[in-house]
Amino acid sequence: MSLLLEAVAEVARAAGDTALRYFRTGVTVESKRDGTPVTVADRAAEQVARDWLRARFPDDGILGEELGEEHPGARRRWVL
C-alpha cells in the first residue's frame, strides 16, 4: 500500500475513533451559521484529523468543514 493510502486509512481511523466516543451519549446538535448541523463529535474528530495531519505532513494544506482552511497555497491539500 502506498504511503498516502496508508495515511488516509490511519487518519480516518483516528478521527472515527474520536467520533465514536460520542456515540449514543446524547450530544447536543447545534446549527452553524449556514443552518447545517454540527456536534462536539464533529469538531473533535476534525481536530484529531488536523493534528494527525500536521504532525505527519506539515507542509500540506487542510480544508475542513468545521475548522476552515490551513495553508491554502500548499501543493497538496487534505479535504476533511
Side-chain angles (χ1 to χ4, degrees):
M1 195 181 321
S2 77
L3 171 67
L4 288 177
L5 189 54
E6 288 177 26
V8 168
E10 278 189 50
V11 73
R13 249 188 315 278
D17 288 346
T18 298
L20 278 173
R21 289 196 320 242
Y22 295 91
F23 184 64
R24 295 189 182 196
T25 63
V27 295
T28 301
V29 177
E30 302 169 30
S31 290
K32 295 187 276 189
R33 288 183 194 172
D34 65 2
T36 59
V38 65
T39 67
V40 65
D42 299 318
R43 291 186 183 114
E46 184 170 323
Q47 188 63 59
V48 164
R50 284 172 178 274
D51 293 345
W52 191 98
L53 290 166
R54 276 190 220 108
R56 287 158 184 84
F57 301 96
D59 295 326
D60 288 4
I62 302 172
L63 175 62
E65 183 176 359
E66 309 310 334
L67 302 172
E69 187 170 17
E70 294 179 30
H71 305 299
R75 196 162 175 224
R76 179 174 46 220
R77 181 183 347 174
W78 296 82
V79 180
L80 307 175

